Amino acid sequence: MIHSASTPRAHRAVVTLTGWPRPRPTGIEIAGVFVRTAWRPGETPERVTVRAFPHTTPTGELRDLFAFPRAVRPAGRTPNGAQVQVTGQLLKLDRGEQLIRVKVCPAVADTLPFVVTLHAGPAVLSLNPEVFHVDVTGHLLQVGRCLLLADTVVPVFAPVPARWHRWRPRRKRPSPVLPARDASDSAGASGLPDRRFA
């Protein structure tokens, strides 16, 4: 059980990639994964480690990754790979679809809350679904598209920052559907075609 007296953990979602970078028009490819960034490899080849932030769809699927140039550093002895860490509010533990869904509410003002969905195995899905906050570690798998896989999950004390307590995502208003205009509707009272629709 996580008590309120525990040290609070900040919400975050980070994908750490290590490998040999390959330049692309709008970023780099590392560990087989594309990352949008203004950083460019130097003339001398060097393994690097990149701390990238995920952009996700409203349902939490990974859309792309972004990294600031300062988030790219020499890899040193870090092994190649793609590691994932997500800390936030547990939204759903779906044992049927084998998914864990976490809501991340960053403390920074210019980043809105977002959802991260990870595929999970039995060890993760055995978590008590009544837990409020979790820390999930895993890895990224490239199978045609990038999938986030959860390897471990630990209950933590990670309260939602006060600035987001009343925040709700904006929903787009549905566009009105206009009825199809019948040919007879284009005729005026005189029976002649209305020139507005001719």
Side-chain angles (χ1 to χ4, degrees), residues 3-16:
H3 300 281
S4 58
S6 302
T7 303
R9 300 282 294 273
H11 285 216
R12 64 174 178 170
V14 179
V15 178
T16 305

Side-chain angles (χ1 to χ4, degrees), residues 38 67 72 142 146 176 194:
V72 184
Q142 182 85 358
C146 291
D194 190 330

Side-chain angles (χ1 to χ4, degrees), residues 37 39 53 67-73:
T37 181
W39 182 87
F53 300 103
F68 294 103
R70 64 177 181 271
V72 184
R73 298 182 178 181

Side-chain angles (χ1 to χ4, degrees), residues 88-173:
Q89 178 185 358
L90 178 63
L91 288 184
K92 188 175 184 180
L93 196 66
D94 193 324
R95 295 187 174 94
E97 296 188 8
Q98 296 186 325
L99 299 174
I100 182 172
R101 187 163 290 138
V102 181
K103 181 180 179 181
V104 180
C105 300
V108 292
D110 58 348
T111 303
L112 295 176
F114 59 95
V115 176
V116 179
T117 297
L118 304 95
H119 296 260
V124 172
L125 296 174
S126 63
L127 176 74
N128 181 356
E130 296 182 0
V131 167
F132 291 108
H133 314 111
V134 293
D135 184 77
V136 183
T137 59
H139 63 283
L140 189 149
L141 181 64
Q142 182 85 358
V143 285
R145 62 189 182 96
C146 291
L147 298 178
L148 301 176
L149 281 73
D151 297 325
T152 65
V153 59
V154 179
V156 295
F157 178 56
V160 174
R163 67 182 309 115
W164 303 123
H165 281 180
R166 297 185 179 182
W167 182 87
R168 294 293 183 275
R170 293 182 179 180
R171 296 183 179 181
K172 294 183 178 180
R173 294 182 179 180

